[in-house]
Amino acid sequence: MSSRPPIIINRLDAERLQRLIDEAGDKDLAVAELLEEELERGEVLDPEDIPENVVSMNSRVQFTDLTRNRQMIRTLVYPHALAGTEDGISVMAPVGAGLIGLRIGDIIDWPLPVGGEIRLRIDAILWQPEREQQFHR
């Protein structure tokens, strides 16, 4: 992997994500291992201290897949919330795991389970729980 910018993770998100990683089945193992690497290298802050330009769980994010030159808007959710979120992307999906903790303007090269990499750029955070003072969402 060629490029991984520094990341910031909400302490509550980190705890919940660690539980997901610990419970991951065989089909999610590759993403779980990458997500765990991200948690280990990330700066963990209390929810009240998360900057407004950081992707946290339940954030609605506008990002560009630079590999395919395709812009998307997705809400980063836990797997159990995927069915109830119209534009949701699971944090246990390869692209979803790559978004957590990035700042607006960051670019990350992220591996795909089928081989190769995808290059993602964070363009905007349209909604973020911490910005809306929803610290326990």
Side-chain angles (χ1 to χ4, degrees), residues 68-123:
R68 295 178 186 89
N69 197 26
R70 184 172 159 217
Q71 192 171 69
M72 293 171 263
I73 296 174
R74 297 285 183 270
T75 300
L76 185 62
V77 298
Y78 295 101
H80 71 271
L82 195 55
T85 308
E86 185 179 322
D87 64 351
I89 184 168
S90 172
V91 71
M92 293 300 286
V95 171
L99 297 175
I100 190 77
L102 296 177
R103 294 175 184 254
I104 295 170
D106 280 350
I107 295 174
I108 192 168
D109 295 322
W110 195 253
L112 296 173
V114 295
E117 286 185 346
I118 189 170
R119 180 169 259 223
L120 305 171
R121 181 187 64 220
I122 305 300
D123 299 322

Side-chain angles (χ1 to χ4, degrees), residues 9 27 42 64 66 98 109 126:
I9 300 177
K27 80 176 186 68
T64 301
L66 296 171
D109 295 322
L126 305 175

Side-chain angles (χ1 to χ4, degrees), residues 3-4 13 17 24 34 38 41 50 57 60 64 73 77-78 87-88 91 98 107 111 118 129 132:
S3 175
R4 283 196 184 178
D13 289 349
L17 291 170
L34 288 168
E38 292 298 274
R41 75 181 192 85
I50 296 293
M57 291 304 301
R60 190 159 189 251
T64 301
I73 296 174
V77 298
Y78 295 101
D87 64 351
V91 71
I107 295 174
I118 189 170
E132 301 301 320

Side-chain angles (χ1 to χ4, degrees), residues 21 27-36 91-94 97 110 113:
I21 291 163
K27 80 176 186 68
D28 293 326
L29 203 52
V31 173
E33 288 173 355
L34 288 168
L35 194 53
E36 190 159 43
V91 71
M92 293 300 286
W110 195 253

